[in-house]
Amino acid sequence: MTANDVGLLSPVTAGHDDAVTDAAVLAALVTAEVALVRAAGALGLADAQSVDAVSHLYGWTGAGHVCAAPGVDVDDLARDAVAGGNPVIPLVGILREGAGAAGVLVHRGATSQDIIDSALMLISARAVAEASRSLAAAEATLARLAADHRDDVAVARTLTQHAVPTTVGARFAGWLRGIRRARERLDAAAAALPAQLGGAGGTLASFVELYGEADAAALPAAFAAELGLQAPDAPWHTTRWPVTELGDALVQVVDAAGKVATDVATLSRSEIGELAEGAGGGSSAMPHKRNPAASVLIRSAALRAPQLGATLHLAAATAADERPDGAWHAEWPALRELLRLALGVSANLAALAAGLRVAPDAVARNLAAAGDAIVSEQRALGGSGADPAAYVGLARRLADAAGPTEESI
Amino acid sequence: MTANDVGLLSPVTAGHDDAVTDAAVLAALVTAEVALVRAAGALGLADAQSVDAVSHLYGWTGAGHVCAAPGVDVDDLARDAVAGGNPVIPLVGILREGAGAAGVLVHRGATSQDIIDSALMLISARAVAEASRSLAAAEATLARLAADHRDDVAVARTLTQHAVPTTVGARFAGWLRGIRRARERLDAAAAALPAQLGGAGGTLASFVELYGEADAAALPAAFAAELGLQAPDAPWHTTRWPVTELGDALVQVVDAAGKVATDVATLSRSEIGELAEGAGGGSSAMPHKRNPAASVLIRSAALRAPQLGATLHLAAATAADERPDGAWHAEWPALRELLRLALGVSANLAALAAGLRVAPDAVARNLAAAGDAIVSEQRALGGSGADPAAYVGLARRLADAAGPTEESI
Amino acid sequence: MTANDVGLLSPVTAGHDDAVTDAAVLAALVTAEVALVRAAGALGLADAQSVDAVSHLYGWTGAGHVCAAPGVDVDDLARDAVAGGNPVIPLVGILREGAGAAGVLVHRGATSQDIIDSALMLISARAVAEASRSLAAAEATLARLAADHRDDVAVARTLTQHAVPTTVGARFAGWLRGIRRARERLDAAAAALPAQLGGAGGTLASFVELYGEADAAALPAAFAAELGLQAPDAPWHTTRWPVTELGDALVQVVDAAGKVATDVATLSRSEIGELAEGAGGGSSAMPHKRNPAASVLIRSAALRAPQLGATLHLAAATAADERPDGAWHAEWPALRELLRLALGVSANLAALAAGLRVAPDAVARNLAAAGDAIVSEQRALGGSGADPAAYVGLARRLADAAGPTEESI
Amino acid sequence: MTANDVGLLSPVTAGHDDAVTDAAVLAALVTAEVALVRAAGALGLADAQSVDAVSHLYGWTGAGHVCAAPGVDVDDLARDAVAGGNPVIPLVGILREGAGAAGVLVHRGATSQDIIDSALMLISARAVAEASRSLAAAEATLARLAADHRDDVAVARTLTQHAVPTTVGARFAGWLRGIRRARERLDAAAAALPAQLGGAGGTLASFVELYGEADAAALPAAFAAELGLQAPDAPWHTTRWPVTELGDALVQVVDAAGKVATDVATLSRSEIGELAEGAGGGSSAMPHKRNPAASVLIRSAALRAPQLGATLHLAAATAADERPDGAWHAEWPALRELLRLALGVSANLAALAAGLRVAPDAVARNLAAAGDAIVSEQRALGGSGADPAAYVGLARRLADAAGPTEESI
């Protein structure tokens, strides 16, 4: 295998992207082809024995399961994909030949885009489920941290300067709100992921020719059911909101984690020291260094994700004709990289949260150093300004309201 | 007034952006300040007479109404905003002075971000409502066009080449699905827009100091009610999903319109000629030219919007501390420009749709020129391939299913 | 005048963008039209009296001068630009009418893109010159600062943590190198800005028809000379590197300033305090605050500029046919906003540098607090590690080498 | 090896990216480490025998040569890179151990960033050289095509509509100018690529400690010489123009190719047919299809590259402190993907150009169909308008001036 990337330049995602590797994409492509055969079988449009043969051959074990592709070399396939511009063309040949007599059922009536779009939705569903689990874990930890530090008064900073008092718990609760919202949006996007089935021109004409109108109309839902995806309301070959809405949700996840990482990186600065990552990274030159390594990695992703989301939108906005002349191809690596970033960022965030250490002394020291100025507003409003702890407003309530997530119970 | 922009370099938005000009922003800032006074009044935290005086002085006439700012010159304000980095600081001085004895109520307990965020949500709500109306009008027209051309067989094109038959109606229905989805998402985003109220550190401490915990806790919802916005679940000074979710929805609108414009630009090419804009643009050099002017303008926006959305995400992901050191400021022009593009694109799309002319002769000519090849798939599947019209599959059903929107009845 | 923007939402550019307002664009459009008349005159292709009449009428006073447009209302023009998609179409009518009998010379043989592209290059040249002056001023200040603080030992920070010793001067010298490089690239880009002249199809056919081949071939250079721009090697209607190379240089300026602002924002944090902006911004809620206001504004621009540069590249990459169907129009506001950001950022950077205050006590305090760890590398290499000042390597030499810029002498 | 990507989702780059795979990066990292040992040797700072031993062990054969890394598994290294956030930390351990007694020389005085930055510049130099060769080949072909079709009159299109006459040769010459300019800029960027050497804080203090000031000052140039890179004027750990200038040049290459691909995709449309790719791609559903496959792939890259360039700029603009907290890490995958796109796009462009077929009949047919309108401008200028060929202005001269490139002789 000639690997382009094994993750050497992407420590933020290394070890977290099994769900979206090229091998996973290949398995998903095979799964989509098998699911199409099975959908025809489920509607009585293909003989059961052949359907079973194909299913067995490629390792089908149930809805949402990902097939294997014995005899398909992903490296060869990548090379053979170039001429036609996509890997389905050579893959179909291999799968048909591999299936012998039943091979006629493979890719029957479909177009490449049906298979690729469906496969990408399939790996998206799996990746999102994994990322969502990591986010839920991070939420549970942050909810606990918010509760644990509910009463710890700290100095709030605005435009880099000491401003007024707040609490450590309120800060954690703010992070938690962002992550929870992002996960909810991501889960909603995942729940809406549709299968793709339209045939060459998006009219399902090939299926009508093969099976008649009624069965052709029923096929997309049957196909989606086999894949564990949503039935599309219509083919979406050039109506690309399923991709952009997913992309937006993935970027939102990275944003929410980016906010946390930005704050952790700042608050673990040598001079501030209110937070520390439990397992900070080392240095090749300086043995004493304890870097906020997860924060750094998450932040690296946060600088990249928005532009990948933009690429998906540009592709959607220029999706010409009944299949685009470049815009569709631009989506593939951008969507996959966004999935990868969401996976890596979520996993790093969960680990960061789990290991996060609060330094109460430093919190208190910085608060004290902020001095009188941070209660000047209070005094201007008529208060005594004697005690910063008496000027945290609803900070405790904000921490309480963020509350423990279901996952934390 | 020293105008930076009146729209000379932005024909796609010129004439459609009254809701988001600097004058509109100023009015929204004043509205937010008045609403805060009124919210205090509504909770019995300010004397009714003073509240009425401020309301009257700045032209308050009801929830969602935008105030005037007599005596405030937007140009001066822009200049005076530089030193502190935002326009609220000088504005508060003017408004307090203008309100005389009642002036003490103005901006009471608030921080600049409370006012700017709320004002931007306010102009967003107005802009979105206007854009949504334009989109609904475009949908109604496209639904009619889809029905009118339900049976017109045309050639589908994939990767720029003639592929298989489809119908003109199915094409319009595909456009319609994209626009309708985008409008629904936009409307949902608009319905969720929250007011912002948190005070200097996002803890509402100033309001607690002024009014006590219970009333401080009630104030954000009262403030939101005055503005016709949603009550926030917590201050979102550095939890920026309200901005990015809105931004994503605005970009999705531009995407959906961009798809239409891309197809219209192609299908009105001199050699294709299946579509024409009713009022194409002219040329300074060539009197005969009938350019697809609205499509060109919409496409210009489609190349710009995704990057503006990316900027909002980058700002969200790097929103440091309890108020960011640059990320928040980066949002303002990016969000406003996205609103402007959505407004301009929606209006141009509605006009484009309203004037769109189908050339049945060209449709038929291109179909005929495509010849036998486009039914080769049908023939390979065992069909006769004698008539392209017999190979449009469910195209008519897809057109029917897109159906007339409610707005079209 | 119905102003969209006067700068209320853009404090980073407010007051610094006279060179690129819509009024400036209008003046540049008129200048380009007059220059074309004059170029014809210079080649003996138009009678001198008419050329003088047009020149006088529109206020021509010399190469590089920007004309006035009496009787042209920029607001009306923006509105009238919509139908044809660009402002030159209505402008030509006005200018021709205004010029009476000599009006026939106006826009003779030209296409809209000739005028708009040339006008945008003209305002670019002016804006770049102004930005370059600000950058040079910032460089002079930083060179002085690097020299002044050549021997001040400070702690270097990597991944947010104290690392090893450095000097304040070396830090300033690093900033200086980035800014100087950016200015040199910007100046080089400015020196290469070409006029545009090609006629409707980019073949100069109209000019050949009017004047013959030899004079048509000479006209672009004559036109460029009148404008103080470079003669194009060929029409570049859809060969857009003049725009993207300028855009890249503008983004590079913002990057270089962004690096400085990022460091100043960090180093002026309450807990660090090694630097302070001379005139920090205030707060509407907290009278004690001294925010690093210029840094915040510059950073807001740094989050925006790269995406504007990307838009220019996307437009260049999709510049279809002999004039694009949207890509060209997308350039206008993106380029103008980049110019505006470069102007605002450069001016703010010069002011920031001029007012920058180093706090030697804080520098020393942080160095001391870093303690023994920052010489652990030295010790591992066999050094004594007794004195951080003995472990700054070539920091002084790096500061010296950055040296005073020519501008600083 | 657990490969993330072998290119399955990236047909535009598959087969063209050997120079930038993770394996190539690993080899470059080793090369940088060996070069540092050799540089010390060249300055007499390390004993020759040990230097030779390290050189021999890791396969050094000459300047610019890329070393092997026997015993280093790239997959393991990627995994071990996560904790510290970069692969150099674990790599150094392996290399030192592998080198036995001479291992003490490995990474002596260096910091991770010295090695990673230098290695990325090294693979950049190789990738750029390869891309430049492909571009030169494309230029040679286009120069020949411009000459061959110098006199073929065609219709120019603006805003998608027939406009005025031009020639096929002038069109090719326009493409050629864009590509040639891009290659020149790319070559210039490649010629400027600097090595990185600064030690932990960018002061070269570790080298001063080891070798004294004079030798430490000489080391970066010696290191660069071993690598075949430019000597840096100073460490550029957080002065990132070497990366962004390269990135801009790479995007410009993709832009120039994107322009060509956009035109080829349009001109090979079924209804236009003036051009065809020699080896168009097929379809999984429609055997008759001849898609403009290379154009589609190039266009997919053109929609992606600008955002990758933007990521590099964002990283440069937020490169904090003496080493950034995320921005540096964000560069790695973005730069590598840009290199990959430039390689793939250039190779596809050369192949596209080599196989490009002009259909003179279609050119003539479209010109004829454009009819009288395209000479209406000529007639308005007083010409006869009898023959489009008499209204191509300087089109032939523009084709001639683009001339054959040196490479084509």
Side-chain angles (χ1 to χ4, degrees):
Chain A
M1 188 185 288
T2 307
N4 291 341
D5 295 352
V6 298
L8 196 66
L9 295 183
S10 186
V12 68
T13 61
H16 304 295
D17 55 0
D18 284 353
V20 298
T21 59
D22 272 5
V25 172
L26 171 56
L29 291 170
V30 176
T31 303
E33 293 286 9
V34 175
L36 183 61
V37 173
R38 294 181 58 82
L43 295 177
L45 307 170
D47 77 280
Q49 198 171 345
S50 297
V51 171
D52 287 348
V54 170
S55 299
H56 180 74
L57 181 61
Y58 295 115
W60 181 274
T61 61
H65 176 77
V66 167
C67 290
V72 183
D73 182 87
V74 66
D75 202 34
D76 290 347
L77 193 67
R79 193 190 57 228
D80 295 342
V82 175
N86 81 61
V88 169
I89 301 175
L91 179 63
V92 167
I94 298 170
L95 296 181
R96 279 184 177 154
E97 191 179 323
V104 69
L105 294 179
V106 172
H107 199 68
R108 205 173 185 217
T111 193
S112 301
Q113 191 167 3
D114 295 336
I115 301 305
I116 292 179
D117 279 349
S118 296
L120 290 178
M121 292 298 102
L122 200 58
I123 66 161
S124 295
R126 292 165 178 283
V128 164
E130 182 180 335
S132 186
R133 280 191 299 273
S134 295
L135 292 171
E139 289 168 41
T141 308
L142 288 175
R144 181 178 53 72
L145 283 168
D148 288 353
H149 298 279
R150 178 184 183 275
D151 298 311
D152 295 353
V153 181
V155 63
R157 297 169 182 85
T158 61
L159 290 80
T160 76
Q161 302 299 298
H162 288 165
V164 292
T166 185
T167 64
V168 176
R171 185 174 284 145
F172 291 153
W175 297 355
L176 174 55
R177 282 190 179 84
I179 295 165
R180 189 181 290 157
R181 176 77 182 193
R183 181 179 54 78
E184 289 168 359
R185 297 279 286 189
L186 186 64
D187 290 346
L193 296 176
Q196 173 72 282
L197 199 66
T203 61
L204 296 139
S206 51
F207 301 110
V208 172
E209 189 69 29
L210 289 165
Y211 308 130
E213 284 215 4
D215 283 326
L219 195 59
F223 178 55
E226 294 290 333
L227 290 168
L229 296 171
Q230 296 302 302
D233 68 338
W236 45 282
H237 291 161
T238 55
T239 311
R240 305 303 289 175
W241 55 260
V243 175
T244 58
E245 291 183 9
L246 172 61
D248 292 342
L250 293 167
V251 178
Q252 186 165 344
V253 165
V254 180
D255 293 348
K259 159 61 180 165
V260 176
T262 296
D263 280 357
V264 173
T266 295
L267 295 172
S268 58
R269 278 191 168 272
S270 302
E271 290 87 356
I272 301 180
E274 300 187 8
L275 294 179
E277 290 193 17
S283 157
S284 74
M286 297 163 288
H288 66 284
K289 287 287 296 289
R290 300 302 292 167
N291 297 317
S295 295
V296 165
L297 296 185
I298 292 170
R299 277 173 55 80
S300 78
L303 286 174
R304 297 176 57 214
Q307 288 82 263
L308 293 168
T311 297
L312 296 180
H313 281 290
L314 285 160
T318 60
D321 298 328
E322 275 72 38
R323 187 159 324 149
D325 55 345
W328 177 46
H329 294 72
E331 285 176 3
W332 310 343
L335 176 59
R336 194 251 295 274
E337 193 68 12
L338 263 183
L339 291 167
R340 184 175 276 158
L341 289 181
L343 281 165
V345 156
S346 301
N348 275 282
L349 179 69
L352 184 161
L356 197 64
R357 294 176 309 199
V358 180
D361 289 356
V363 171
R365 182 187 68 233
N366 292 333
L367 181 70
D372 211 45
I374 63 170
V375 288
S376 63
E377 184 190 47
Q378 186 185 24
R379 206 171 283 122
L381 296 171
S384 74
D387 179 12
Y391 199 59
V392 298
L394 303 180
R396 292 182 188 84
R397 194 181 295 206
L398 290 167
D400 293 344
T405 59
E406 294 173 15
E407 292 74 12
S408 71
I409 300 173
Chain B
M1 187 185 291
T2 307
N4 291 341
D5 295 352
V6 299
L8 196 67
L9 294 184
S10 187
V12 67
T13 60
H16 304 296
D17 55 1
D18 284 354
V20 297
T21 59
D22 272 4
V25 171
L26 171 56
L29 291 170
V30 175
T31 304
E33 294 285 8
V34 175
L36 182 61
V37 173
R38 294 182 57 81
L43 294 178
L45 308 170
D47 78 280
Q49 198 170 345
S50 296
V51 171
D52 286 350
V54 170
S55 299
H56 180 73
L57 180 61
Y58 295 115
W60 182 273
T61 62
H65 176 76
V66 168
C67 290
V72 183
D73 181 86
V74 67
D75 201 33
D76 290 348
L77 193 66
R79 194 190 56 229
D80 295 341
V82 175
N86 81 60
V88 168
I89 301 174
L91 179 63
V92 167
I94 298 171
L95 296 182
R96 280 183 176 156
E97 189 178 326
V104 69
L105 295 178
V106 172
H107 199 69
R108 209 177 182 211
T111 192
S112 301
Q113 190 167 3
D114 294 335
I115 301 305
I116 292 180
D117 279 350
S118 296
L120 290 178
M121 291 298 101
L122 200 58
I123 67 160
S124 294
R126 291 167 179 282
V128 164
E130 183 179 335
S132 185
R133 282 192 297 273
S134 295
L135 292 171
E139 289 169 40
T141 308
L142 288 175
R144 181 180 52 72
L145 283 168
D148 288 354
H149 297 280
R150 177 184 185 278
D151 299 311
D152 295 352
V153 181
V155 63
R157 296 168 183 87
T158 61
L159 289 80
T160 75
Q161 302 300 299
H162 288 164
V164 292
T166 187
T167 64
V168 175
R171 184 174 286 145
F172 291 153
W175 298 354
L176 174 54
R177 281 189 180 86
I179 296 164
R180 188 180 291 157
R181 176 79 182 191
R183 181 178 53 78
E184 289 168 359
R185 297 278 289 189
L186 185 65
D187 288 348
L193 296 176
Q196 173 73 281
L197 198 68
T203 61
L204 295 137
S206 51
F207 301 110
V208 172
E209 188 71 29
L210 289 165
Y211 308 132
E213 283 216 6
D215 283 327
L219 195 60
F223 178 54
E226 294 290 331
L227 290 168
L229 295 170
Q230 297 301 302
D233 67 338
W236 43 281
H237 291 159
T238 57
T239 312
R240 305 303 288 173
W241 56 259
V243 175
T244 58
E245 291 183 9
L246 172 61
D248 292 341
L250 293 166
V251 177
Q252 186 164 342
V253 165
V254 179
D255 293 347
K259 158 62 180 166
V260 176
T262 295
D263 280 356
V264 173
T266 295
L267 296 172
S268 60
R269 279 192 168 272
S270 301
E271 290 87 353
I272 300 179
E274 299 187 9
L275 295 178
E277 289 192 18
S283 155
S284 74
M286 299 162 287
H288 66 283
K289 287 287 294 290
R290 300 300 291 166
N291 298 318
S295 296
V296 165
L297 295 184
I298 292 170
R299 277 172 56 80
S300 78
L303 287 174
R304 297 177 57 214
Q307 288 83 262
L308 293 167
T311 297
L312 296 180
H313 281 290
L314 285 160
T318 59
D321 297 327
E322 276 69 41
R323 189 158 322 148
D325 56 344
W328 176 47
H329 294 72
E331 286 177 2
W332 311 343
L335 176 59
R336 194 250 297 275
E337 192 67 13
L338 263 184
L339 292 167
R340 186 176 273 157
L341 288 182
L343 281 164
V345 156
S346 301
N348 274 281
L349 179 70
L352 184 161
L356 196 64
R357 293 175 310 196
V358 179
D361 289 357
V363 171
R365 183 186 68 234
N366 292 333
L367 181 70
D372 213 42
I374 63 170
V375 288
S376 63
E377 183 190 48
Q378 185 184 27
R379 206 170 282 124
L381 295 172
S384 74
D387 179 13
Y391 199 58
V392 297
L394 303 181
R396 291 182 187 84
R397 195 181 293 205
L398 289 168
D400 293 345
T405 59
E406 293 172 14
E407 291 75 11
S408 71
I409 300 172
Chain C
M1 186 186 291
T2 307
N4 291 341
D5 294 352
V6 298
L8 196 66
L9 295 184
S10 186
V12 67
T13 61
H16 304 295
D17 55 1
D18 284 355
V20 297
T21 59
D22 273 6
V25 172
L26 171 57
L29 291 169
V30 175
T31 304
E33 294 285 10
V34 174
L36 183 61
V37 173
R38 294 181 58 81
L43 295 177
L45 307 170
D47 77 280
Q49 199 170 347
S50 296
V51 171
D52 286 349
V54 170
S55 299
H56 181 73
L57 181 60
Y58 296 115
W60 182 274
T61 62
H65 176 77
V66 167
C67 290
V72 183
D73 181 88
V74 67
D75 202 35
D76 290 349
L77 193 66
R79 193 189 56 229
D80 295 342
V82 176
N86 81 60
V88 168
I89 302 174
L91 178 64
V92 167
I94 298 170
L95 296 181
R96 279 183 175 154
E97 190 178 323
V104 68
L105 293 179
V106 172
H107 199 71
R108 205 173 184 216
T111 192
S112 302
Q113 190 166 4
D114 295 335
I115 301 306
I116 293 179
D117 280 349
S118 296
L120 290 178
M121 292 298 101
L122 200 57
I123 66 159
S124 294
R126 292 165 178 283
V128 164
E130 183 179 336
S132 186
R133 280 191 298 273
S134 296
L135 292 171
E139 289 169 41
T141 308
L142 288 174
R144 181 179 51 72
L145 284 168
D148 288 353
H149 298 278
R150 177 184 184 277
D151 298 311
D152 295 353
V153 181
V155 62
R157 296 169 183 87
T158 60
L159 290 81
T160 75
Q161 302 300 299
H162 287 165
V164 292
T166 186
T167 64
V168 175
R171 184 173 286 145
F172 292 154
W175 298 354
L176 174 55
R177 281 190 179 86
I179 295 164
R180 188 182 291 156
R181 176 77 181 194
R183 181 179 54 77
E184 288 167 0
R185 297 278 289 189
L186 185 65
D187 289 348
L193 296 177
Q196 173 73 282
L197 199 67
T203 61
L204 296 138
S206 51
F207 301 110
V208 172
E209 189 70 30
L210 288 165
Y211 308 131
E213 282 215 6
D215 283 327
L219 195 59
F223 178 55
E226 293 290 332
L227 290 168
L229 295 170
Q230 296 303 299
D233 67 339
W236 44 282
H237 291 160
T238 56
T239 311
R240 305 302 289 174
W241 56 260
V243 175
T244 58
E245 290 183 10
L246 172 60
D248 292 341
L250 294 166
V251 177
Q252 186 164 346
V253 166
V254 179
D255 294 348
K259 158 63 180 166
V260 177
T262 295
D263 280 356
V264 174
T266 295
L267 295 172
S268 59
R269 279 191 169 272
S270 302
E271 290 86 356
I272 301 179
E274 300 188 9
L275 295 178
E277 290 192 17
S283 157
S284 73
M286 297 163 288
H288 66 284
K289 287 286 295 288
R290 299 302 292 167
N291 298 318
S295 295
V296 165
L297 296 185
I298 291 171
R299 277 172 56 80
S300 77
L303 287 174
R304 297 177 56 215
Q307 289 83 264
L308 293 167
T311 296
L312 296 180
H313 281 290
L314 285 161
T318 59
D321 298 329
E322 276 71 39
R323 187 159 324 150
D325 54 344
W328 176 47
H329 293 73
E331 285 177 4
W332 310 345
L335 177 59
R336 194 251 295 274
E337 192 68 11
L338 263 183
L339 291 167
R340 184 175 275 158
L341 289 181
L343 281 164
V345 156
S346 302
N348 274 282
L349 179 69
L352 183 161
L356 197 63
R357 294 175 309 199
V358 179
D361 289 355
V363 171
R365 184 187 66 233
N366 293 332
L367 182 69
D372 211 44
I374 63 171
V375 288
S376 62
E377 184 190 47
Q378 186 185 23
R379 206 171 284 125
L381 295 172
S384 73
D387 179 12
Y391 199 58
V392 299
L394 303 180
R396 292 183 187 84
R397 194 182 294 206
L398 290 167
D400 293 345
T405 59
E406 294 173 13
E407 291 76 10
S408 70
I409 300 174
Chain D
M1 186 186 291
T2 307
N4 292 342
D5 295 353
V6 298
L8 196 67
L9 295 184
S10 186
V12 67
T13 61
H16 303 297
D17 54 2
D18 284 353
V20 297
T21 60
D22 272 5
V25 171
L26 170 57
L29 292 169
V30 176
T31 304
E33 293 285 10
V34 175
L36 183 61
V37 173
R38 294 181 59 80
L43 295 177
L45 307 170
D47 77 281
Q49 198 171 344
S50 296
V51 171
D52 286 349
V54 170
S55 299
H56 181 73
L57 180 62
Y58 296 115
W60 181 274
T61 61
H65 176 76
V66 168
C67 290
V72 184
D73 182 87
V74 66
D75 201 34
D76 290 347
L77 193 66
R79 193 191 56 230
D80 294 341
V82 176
N86 81 61
V88 168
I89 300 174
L91 179 62
V92 167
I94 298 170
L95 296 182
R96 280 183 176 156
E97 189 179 324
V104 68
L105 294 178
V106 172
H107 198 70
R108 207 173 183 216
T111 192
S112 301
Q113 190 166 4
D114 295 335
I115 301 305
I116 293 180
D117 279 351
S118 295
L120 290 178
M121 291 298 101
L122 199 58
I123 67 160
S124 294
R126 292 166 179 282
V128 164
E130 183 179 335
S132 186
R133 281 192 297 273
S134 295
L135 292 171
E139 288 169 41
T141 309
L142 288 174
R144 181 179 51 73
L145 284 168
D148 288 353
H149 297 280
R150 177 185 184 276
D151 298 311
D152 295 352
V153 182
V155 63
R157 297 169 182 86
T158 61
L159 291 81
T160 76
Q161 303 299 298
H162 288 164
V164 293
T166 186
T167 65
V168 175
R171 183 173 286 146
F172 291 152
W175 298 353
L176 175 54
R177 281 188 179 85
I179 296 164
R180 188 181 292 157
R181 176 78 182 190
R183 181 178 55 77
E184 289 168 358
R185 297 278 288 188
L186 185 66
D187 289 347
L193 295 176
Q196 172 74 282
L197 198 68
T203 61
L204 295 138
S206 50
F207 302 110
V208 172
E209 188 70 28
L210 289 165
Y211 309 131
E213 283 216 4
D215 283 326
L219 195 60
F223 178 54
E226 294 290 333
L227 291 168
L229 296 170
Q230 295 304 299
D233 66 339
W236 44 281
H237 291 161
T238 55
T239 312
R240 306 303 290 173
W241 56 259
V243 175
T244 58
E245 291 183 9
L246 172 61
D248 292 342
L250 293 167
V251 178
Q252 186 165 343
V253 166
V254 179
D255 293 347
K259 159 62 181 167
V260 176
T262 296
D263 280 357
V264 173
T266 295
L267 294 172
S268 60
R269 279 191 168 273
S270 302
E271 290 88 354
I272 300 179
E274 298 188 10
L275 294 178
E277 289 191 18
S283 157
S284 73
M286 298 163 287
H288 66 284
K289 287 286 295 289
R290 299 301 291 167
N291 297 318
S295 296
V296 165
L297 295 185
I298 292 170
R299 278 173 55 79
S300 78
L303 287 174
R304 297 178 56 215
Q307 287 84 261
L308 293 167
T311 297
L312 296 180
H313 281 290
L314 286 160
T318 59
D321 299 328
E322 276 69 42
R323 188 157 323 147
D325 55 345
W328 176 46
H329 293 74
E331 285 177 3
W332 309 345
L335 176 59
R336 194 249 296 274
E337 192 68 12
L338 263 183
L339 291 167
R340 185 175 274 157
L341 289 181
L343 281 165
V345 156
S346 300
N348 274 280
L349 179 70
L352 183 162
L356 196 64
R357 295 175 310 199
V358 179
D361 289 356
V363 171
R365 182 186 69 233
N366 292 333
L367 181 70
D372 212 44
I374 62 170
V375 289
S376 63
E377 184 190 49
Q378 186 185 27
R379 206 171 281 123
L381 295 171
S384 74
D387 179 12
Y391 200 57
V392 297
L394 303 181
R396 291 182 189 84
R397 193 181 296 205
L398 289 168
D400 293 345
T405 60
E406 294 173 15
E407 290 75 12
S408 71
I409 299 173

